[in-house]
Amino acid sequence: MPHLRRVWFARDARVVARALLGCLLVHERAGGEARVARIVETEAYRGPTDLASHARVGLTGRTRVLLGQEGHAYVYFVYGMHDCFNVTCLGEGTGHAVLVRAGEARSGLEEGTRLDGPGRFARGMGITTSMSGQDLTRGPLVLLPREGRVRVGVSARVGVGYAGEWADRPWRFFDAGRRHVSKPPKTAIGGGRG
């Protein structure tokens, strides 16, 4: 199946976040079976004016990829323990990206591997910060078109209470009814008022 082309990523993060639901992420590994997961949860981050986005701080070593060309992996380390996988979108300099929060294992992963949460997703798929900047149109990380039907659920984003009113924007999308969608505590959603 052909993978997604650059033009597919050249859209607003909110559009790409919805469109990624049901898509397959493939991590092609030299000498090993490819790891494949169906994406079931995402969050949109919309550039420098979005106070929950890393782009708010401008161009730094960390944000160089985020502010670069669409269709690349932006991977960062958080809480001293988790890598988080994002997809850059819209266009160079915009700082739009989509965090992949959860997925369903399809193949190449050990039985019982959990992908329900951004840290678990990256770890299970073998994605680390060393992969930040990789072109998602060339591999070894590629995205394939949507598989199956999606019933889109929407909520505020998770864990960004520091962003004030931006925390409550309804920019978390998930495939409603899928058991591998993460289950954050209510106090972590939006402004954290539960």
Side-chain angles (χ1 to χ4, degrees):
M1 181 179 290
H3 55 76
L4 300 175
R5 304 287 184 219
R6 179 94 50 223
V7 67
W8 191 92
F9 300 98
R11 300 179 285 172
D12 185 284
R14 291 174 299 181
V15 174
V16 174
R18 281 177 175 265
L20 277 171
L21 296 177
C23 289
L24 300 179
L25 177 67
V26 179
H27 182 183
E28 301 160 340
R29 300 180 306 145
E33 182 182 359
R35 294 180 184 181
V36 181
R38 182 179 184 273
I39 296 170
V40 298
E41 183 181 355
T42 60
E43 284 181 348
Y45 290 86
R46 301 189 65 233
T49 61
D50 177 354
L51 297 184
S53 171
H54 292 168
R56 73 187 181 280
V57 300
L59 183 62
T60 66
R62 182 184 197 191
T63 64
R64 181 179 46 80
V65 172
L66 172 61
L67 292 163
Q69 186 181 35
E70 69 277 9
H72 285 75
Y74 170 52
V75 186
Y76 60 86
F77 193 60
V78 67
Y79 304 132
M81 65 173 71
H82 299 298
D83 292 309
C84 293
F85 169 70
N86 297 257
V87 175
T88 62
C89 47
L90 190 59
E92 191 165 351
T94 65
H96 277 229
V98 175
L99 170 65
V100 176
R101 286 194 47 84
E104 297 172 337
R106 283 292 186 255
S107 63
L109 290 100
E110 291 184 25
E111 187 174 339
T113 299
R114 293 179 61 181
L115 304 175
D116 57 335
R120 286 189 184 122
F121 183 87
R123 185 171 44 257
M125 290 299 291
I127 298 170
T128 66
T129 54
S130 68
M131 303 177 89
S132 194
Q134 288 196 356
D135 189 339
L136 298 174
T137 68
R138 296 185 183 173
L141 292 173
V142 292
L143 285 153
L144 305 182
R146 179 174 283 168
E147 173 189 89
R149 296 183 68 174
V150 171
R151 187 167 53 101
V152 179
V154 179
S155 83
R157 293 175 291 185
V158 177
V160 294
Y162 59 83
E165 66 184 45
W166 289 88
D168 292 321
R169 301 288 164 97
W171 294 347
R172 172 181 173 237
F173 305 96
F174 52 92
D175 193 348
R178 294 289 184 160
R179 65 186 181 98
H180 295 289
V181 170
S182 71
K183 295 169 181 62
K186 288 183 180 180
T187 55
I189 299 172
R193 292 174 292 281

Short mmCIF file of all heavy atoms in Angstrom, two decimals, residues 109-155:
data_model
loop_
_atom_site.label_atom_id
_atom_site.label_comp_id
_atom_site.label_asym_id
_atom_site.label_seq_id
_atom_site.Cartn_x
_atom_site.Cartn_y
_atom_site.Cartn_z
N LEU A 109 4.91 -6.45 16.91
CA LEU A 109 5.06 -6.12 18.33
C LEU A 109 4.75 -7.35 19.16
O LEU A 109 3.93 -8.18 18.78
CB LEU A 109 4.11 -4.98 18.72
CG LEU A 109 4.46 -3.62 18.13
CD1 LEU A 109 3.60 -3.33 16.93
CD2 LEU A 109 4.29 -2.54 19.17
N GLU A 110 5.43 -7.44 20.30
CA GLU A 110 5.18 -8.57 21.19
C GLU A 110 3.75 -8.54 21.69
O GLU A 110 3.19 -7.46 21.92
CB GLU A 110 6.14 -8.54 22.38
CG GLU A 110 7.58 -8.83 22.02
CD GLU A 110 8.46 -8.88 23.25
OE1 GLU A 110 7.96 -9.15 24.36
OE2 GLU A 110 9.67 -8.64 23.08
N GLU A 111 3.18 -9.72 21.87
CA GLU A 111 1.81 -9.80 22.38
C GLU A 111 1.72 -9.09 23.73
O GLU A 111 2.60 -9.24 24.58
CB GLU A 111 1.40 -11.27 22.54
CG GLU A 111 -0.05 -11.43 22.90
CD GLU A 111 -0.49 -12.89 22.90
OE1 GLU A 111 0.19 -13.72 22.27
OE2 GLU A 111 -1.51 -13.17 23.53
N GLY A 112 0.70 -8.30 23.89
CA GLY A 112 0.49 -7.57 25.14
C GLY A 112 1.15 -6.21 25.18
O GLY A 112 1.01 -5.49 26.17
N THR A 113 1.88 -5.81 24.11
CA THR A 113 2.49 -4.49 24.08
C THR A 113 1.41 -3.43 24.11
O THR A 113 0.50 -3.43 23.29
CB THR A 113 3.36 -4.30 22.82
OG1 THR A 113 4.41 -5.27 22.84
CG2 THR A 113 3.97 -2.90 22.78
N ARG A 114 1.51 -2.52 25.07
CA ARG A 114 0.51 -1.45 25.20
C ARG A 114 0.99 -0.21 24.48
O ARG A 114 2.15 0.19 24.60
CB ARG A 114 0.27 -1.15 26.68
CG ARG A 114 -0.40 -2.29 27.41
CD ARG A 114 -0.61 -1.97 28.86
NE ARG A 114 -1.48 -0.81 29.04
CZ ARG A 114 -1.80 -0.32 30.23
NH1 ARG A 114 -1.30 -0.86 31.33
NH2 ARG A 114 -2.61 0.74 30.31
N LEU A 115 0.07 0.41 23.75
CA LEU A 115 0.35 1.63 23.00
C LEU A 115 -0.62 2.74 23.41
O LEU A 115 -0.85 3.67 22.66
CB LEU A 115 0.26 1.37 21.49
CG LEU A 115 1.13 0.25 20.93
CD1 LEU A 115 0.84 0.04 19.45
CD2 LEU A 115 2.60 0.54 21.15
N ASP A 116 -1.22 2.62 24.59
CA ASP A 116 -2.25 3.55 25.05
C ASP A 116 -1.66 4.67 25.90
O ASP A 116 -1.72 4.66 27.11
CB ASP A 116 -3.34 2.81 25.82
CG ASP A 116 -2.80 2.04 27.01
OD1 ASP A 116 -1.61 1.67 27.02
OD2 ASP A 116 -3.58 1.81 27.97
N GLY A 117 -1.11 5.64 25.23
CA GLY A 117 -0.47 6.80 25.86
C GLY A 117 0.74 7.16 25.03
O GLY A 117 1.35 6.28 24.41
N PRO A 118 1.10 8.43 24.96
CA PRO A 118 2.18 8.84 24.06
C PRO A 118 3.53 8.21 24.37
O PRO A 118 4.27 7.84 23.45
CB PRO A 118 2.22 10.36 24.18
CG PRO A 118 1.45 10.69 25.42
CD PRO A 118 0.48 9.58 25.64
N GLY A 119 3.87 8.03 25.65
CA GLY A 119 5.12 7.38 26.02
C GLY A 119 5.13 5.92 25.65
O GLY A 119 6.10 5.39 25.09
N ARG A 120 4.04 5.22 25.96
CA ARG A 120 3.93 3.79 25.61
C ARG A 120 3.93 3.61 24.09
O ARG A 120 4.49 2.63 23.58
CB ARG A 120 2.64 3.21 26.20
CG ARG A 120 2.70 2.99 27.68
CD ARG A 120 1.47 2.22 28.14
NE ARG A 120 1.47 2.09 29.57
CZ ARG A 120 0.50 2.52 30.37
NH1 ARG A 120 -0.55 3.12 29.85
NH2 ARG A 120 0.58 2.36 31.66
N PHE A 121 3.27 4.52 23.38
CA PHE A 121 3.22 4.41 21.92
C PHE A 121 4.63 4.47 21.34
O PHE A 121 5.03 3.61 20.56
CB PHE A 121 2.34 5.51 21.31
CG PHE A 121 2.20 5.39 19.83
CD1 PHE A 121 1.22 4.59 19.27
CD2 PHE A 121 3.07 6.06 18.98
CE1 PHE A 121 1.11 4.44 17.89
CE2 PHE A 121 2.96 5.93 17.60
CZ PHE A 121 1.98 5.12 17.07
N ALA A 122 5.38 5.49 21.72
CA ALA A 122 6.75 5.64 21.18
C ALA A 122 7.62 4.47 21.57
O ALA A 122 8.35 3.91 20.74
CB ALA A 122 7.35 6.96 21.65
N ARG A 123 7.56 4.07 22.84
CA ARG A 123 8.39 2.95 23.30
C ARG A 123 8.04 1.66 22.55
O ARG A 123 8.92 0.95 22.07
CB ARG A 123 8.21 2.77 24.82
CG ARG A 123 9.12 1.72 25.42
CD ARG A 123 9.10 1.70 26.95
NE ARG A 123 7.78 1.80 27.55
CZ ARG A 123 7.27 2.91 28.11
NH1 ARG A 123 7.98 4.02 28.14
NH2 ARG A 123 6.07 2.90 28.64
N GLY A 124 6.75 1.35 22.46
CA GLY A 124 6.32 0.13 21.77
C GLY A 124 6.70 0.10 20.31
O GLY A 124 7.05 -0.96 19.76
N MET A 125 6.66 1.26 19.67
CA MET A 125 6.99 1.34 18.25
C MET A 125 8.49 1.49 18.00
O MET A 125 8.93 1.55 16.86
CB MET A 125 6.23 2.50 17.61
CG MET A 125 4.73 2.27 17.51
SD MET A 125 4.30 0.84 16.49
CE MET A 125 4.78 1.45 14.86
N GLY A 126 9.29 1.58 19.08
CA GLY A 126 10.73 1.70 18.93
C GLY A 126 11.17 3.07 18.43
O GLY A 126 12.17 3.21 17.74
N ILE A 127 10.42 4.11 18.81
CA ILE A 127 10.71 5.48 18.38
C ILE A 127 11.42 6.22 19.51
O ILE A 127 10.94 6.24 20.64
CB ILE A 127 9.41 6.22 17.99
CG1 ILE A 127 8.75 5.52 16.81
CG2 ILE A 127 9.70 7.68 17.65
CD1 ILE A 127 7.35 6.02 16.50
N THR A 128 12.56 6.83 19.19
CA THR A 128 13.34 7.58 20.17
C THR A 128 13.67 8.97 19.61
O THR A 128 13.47 9.24 18.42
CB THR A 128 14.65 6.87 20.52
OG1 THR A 128 15.48 6.86 19.35
CG2 THR A 128 14.40 5.44 20.99
N THR A 129 14.24 9.82 20.47
CA THR A 129 14.60 11.16 20.02
C THR A 129 15.63 11.14 18.90
O THR A 129 15.74 12.10 18.15
CB THR A 129 15.15 12.01 21.19
OG1 THR A 129 16.22 11.30 21.81
CG2 THR A 129 14.07 12.30 22.21
N SER A 130 16.37 10.06 18.76
CA SER A 130 17.35 9.96 17.66
C SER A 130 16.65 9.97 16.30
O SER A 130 17.29 10.21 15.28
CB SER A 130 18.20 8.70 17.80
OG SER A 130 17.41 7.54 17.60
N MET A 131 15.34 9.72 16.28
CA MET A 131 14.58 9.69 15.03
C MET A 131 13.92 11.03 14.71
O MET A 131 13.29 11.18 13.67
CB MET A 131 13.53 8.58 15.10
CG MET A 131 14.15 7.22 15.39
SD MET A 131 12.93 5.93 15.57
CE MET A 131 12.80 5.43 13.87
N SER A 132 14.09 12.01 15.59
CA SER A 132 13.50 13.32 15.34
C SER A 132 14.11 13.90 14.07
O SER A 132 15.32 13.88 13.87
CB SER A 132 13.75 14.26 16.52
OG SER A 132 12.93 15.40 16.43
N GLY A 133 13.26 14.40 13.20
CA GLY A 133 13.69 14.96 11.93
C GLY A 133 13.58 14.00 10.76
O GLY A 133 13.74 14.41 9.60
N GLN A 134 13.28 12.73 11.03
CA GLN A 134 13.17 11.77 9.93
C GLN A 134 11.98 12.11 9.04
O GLN A 134 10.91 12.48 9.50
CB GLN A 134 13.04 10.34 10.45
CG GLN A 134 14.35 9.85 11.03
CD GLN A 134 14.39 8.35 11.21
OE1 GLN A 134 13.42 7.64 10.97
NE2 GLN A 134 15.51 7.85 11.66
N ASP A 135 12.21 11.97 7.76
CA ASP A 135 11.20 12.25 6.74
C ASP A 135 10.19 11.11 6.71
O ASP A 135 10.54 9.97 6.40
CB ASP A 135 11.89 12.41 5.38
CG ASP A 135 10.97 12.91 4.30
OD1 ASP A 135 9.73 12.78 4.42
OD2 ASP A 135 11.49 13.41 3.28
N LEU A 136 8.93 11.40 7.04
CA LEU A 136 7.89 10.37 7.09
C LEU A 136 7.41 9.94 5.71
O LEU A 136 6.57 9.04 5.61
CB LEU A 136 6.71 10.87 7.93
CG LEU A 136 7.05 11.17 9.40
CD1 LEU A 136 5.87 11.81 10.10
CD2 LEU A 136 7.50 9.92 10.13
N THR A 137 7.94 10.55 4.66
CA THR A 137 7.57 10.13 3.30
C THR A 137 8.61 9.18 2.72
O THR A 137 8.47 8.73 1.58
CB THR A 137 7.40 11.34 2.36
OG1 THR A 137 8.67 11.96 2.14
CG2 THR A 137 6.40 12.34 2.91
N ARG A 138 9.68 8.86 3.49
CA ARG A 138 10.76 8.02 2.96
C ARG A 138 11.10 6.82 3.82
O ARG A 138 11.78 5.92 3.37
CB ARG A 138 12.03 8.86 2.78
CG ARG A 138 11.87 9.95 1.77
CD ARG A 138 13.16 10.67 1.56
NE ARG A 138 12.95 11.77 0.62
CZ ARG A 138 13.85 12.66 0.33
NH1 ARG A 138 15.04 12.61 0.90
NH2 ARG A 138 13.59 13.63 -0.51
N GLY A 139 10.75 6.83 5.07
CA GLY A 139 11.09 5.73 5.96
C GLY A 139 12.39 6.00 6.70
O GLY A 139 13.09 6.94 6.37
N PRO A 140 12.71 5.25 7.74
CA PRO A 140 12.06 3.99 8.11
C PRO A 140 10.70 4.14 8.80
O PRO A 140 10.02 3.15 9.02
CB PRO A 140 13.08 3.35 9.06
CG PRO A 140 13.74 4.51 9.72
CD PRO A 140 13.83 5.57 8.65
N LEU A 141 10.31 5.37 9.14
CA LEU A 141 8.96 5.60 9.65
C LEU A 141 8.10 6.13 8.52
O LEU A 141 8.45 7.15 7.91
CB LEU A 141 8.97 6.64 10.78
CG LEU A 141 9.63 6.27 12.10
CD1 LEU A 141 9.68 7.49 13.02
CD2 LEU A 141 8.87 5.14 12.77
N VAL A 142 7.01 5.43 8.21
CA VAL A 142 6.08 5.92 7.18
C VAL A 142 4.66 5.75 7.68
O VAL A 142 4.37 4.92 8.54
CB VAL A 142 6.26 5.19 5.83
CG1 VAL A 142 7.59 5.52 5.18
CG2 VAL A 142 6.07 3.69 5.96
N LEU A 143 3.78 6.57 7.12
CA LEU A 143 2.36 6.49 7.45
C LEU A 143 1.58 6.01 6.24
O LEU A 143 1.81 6.48 5.12
CB LEU A 143 1.85 7.86 7.89
CG LEU A 143 2.29 8.24 9.31
CD1 LEU A 143 2.35 9.74 9.48
CD2 LEU A 143 1.33 7.63 10.32
N LEU A 144 0.68 5.07 6.48
CA LEU A 144 -0.19 4.54 5.43
C LEU A 144 -1.60 5.09 5.62
O LEU A 144 -1.99 5.45 6.73
CB LEU A 144 -0.22 3.01 5.48
CG LEU A 144 1.13 2.29 5.41
CD1 LEU A 144 0.92 0.79 5.44
CD2 LEU A 144 1.91 2.70 4.19
N PRO A 145 -2.39 5.15 4.54
CA PRO A 145 -3.75 5.70 4.64
C PRO A 145 -4.62 4.97 5.66
O PRO A 145 -4.33 3.85 6.07
CB PRO A 145 -4.30 5.53 3.22
CG PRO A 145 -3.10 5.44 2.35
CD PRO A 145 -2.05 4.76 3.17
N ARG A 146 -5.70 5.62 6.01
CA ARG A 146 -6.65 5.11 7.01
C ARG A 146 -7.10 3.70 6.69
O ARG A 146 -7.40 3.36 5.56
CB ARG A 146 -7.86 6.04 7.07
CG ARG A 146 -8.93 5.62 8.06
CD ARG A 146 -10.02 6.64 8.17
NE ARG A 146 -9.53 7.76 8.98
CZ ARG A 146 -10.16 8.92 9.09
NH1 ARG A 146 -11.27 9.14 8.42
NH2 ARG A 146 -9.66 9.88 9.86
N GLU A 147 -7.18 2.90 7.77
CA GLU A 147 -7.67 1.52 7.68
C GLU A 147 -8.97 1.44 8.48
O GLU A 147 -8.98 1.70 9.67
CB GLU A 147 -6.63 0.57 8.28
CG GLU A 147 -7.11 -0.86 8.38
CD GLU A 147 -6.15 -1.72 9.18
OE1 GLU A 147 -6.30 -1.79 10.42
OE2 GLU A 147 -5.25 -2.29 8.56
N GLY A 148 -10.04 1.10 7.80
CA GLY A 148 -11.32 0.94 8.48
C GLY A 148 -12.01 2.26 8.80
O GLY A 148 -11.51 3.33 8.52
N ARG A 149 -13.19 2.13 9.38
CA ARG A 149 -13.99 3.31 9.73
C ARG A 149 -13.55 3.89 11.06
O ARG A 149 -13.06 3.18 11.92
CB ARG A 149 -15.46 2.92 9.79
CG ARG A 149 -16.00 2.45 8.43
CD ARG A 149 -17.44 2.14 8.51
NE ARG A 149 -18.17 3.38 8.74
CZ ARG A 149 -19.48 3.48 8.76
NH1 ARG A 149 -20.22 2.42 8.57
NH2 ARG A 149 -20.07 4.63 8.97
N VAL A 150 -13.78 5.18 11.20
CA VAL A 150 -13.42 5.89 12.42
C VAL A 150 -14.63 6.64 12.94
O VAL A 150 -15.34 7.29 12.16
CB VAL A 150 -12.26 6.89 12.15
CG1 VAL A 150 -12.01 7.78 13.35
CG2 VAL A 150 -10.99 6.15 11.77
N ARG A 151 -14.89 6.55 14.23
CA ARG A 151 -15.93 7.34 14.88
C ARG A 151 -15.20 8.35 15.76
O ARG A 151 -14.69 8.01 16.83
CB ARG A 151 -16.85 6.44 15.70
CG ARG A 151 -18.06 7.15 16.27
CD ARG A 151 -19.09 6.16 16.78
NE ARG A 151 -18.57 5.19 17.71
CZ ARG A 151 -18.70 5.24 19.03
NH1 ARG A 151 -19.35 6.24 19.59
NH2 ARG A 151 -18.20 4.30 19.79
N VAL A 152 -15.13 9.60 15.31
CA VAL A 152 -14.28 10.61 15.95
C VAL A 152 -14.91 11.16 17.22
O VAL A 152 -16.02 11.68 17.20
CB VAL A 152 -13.97 11.76 14.98
CG1 VAL A 152 -13.10 12.82 15.66
CG2 VAL A 152 -13.28 11.24 13.72
N GLY A 153 -14.16 11.05 18.32
CA GLY A 153 -14.50 11.69 19.57
C GLY A 153 -13.56 12.88 19.76
O GLY A 153 -12.46 12.90 19.21
N VAL A 154 -14.00 13.87 20.53
CA VAL A 154 -13.23 15.10 20.70
C VAL A 154 -13.22 15.49 22.18
O VAL A 154 -14.23 15.33 22.87
CB VAL A 154 -13.85 16.25 19.87
CG1 VAL A 154 -13.08 17.55 20.07
CG2 VAL A 154 -13.92 15.89 18.40
N SER A 155 -12.07 16.00 22.64
CA SER A 155 -11.99 16.56 23.99
C SER A 155 -10.92 17.63 24.01
O SER A 155 -10.22 17.85 23.02
CB SER A 155 -11.68 15.47 25.04
OG SER A 155 -10.28 15.21 25.11
#
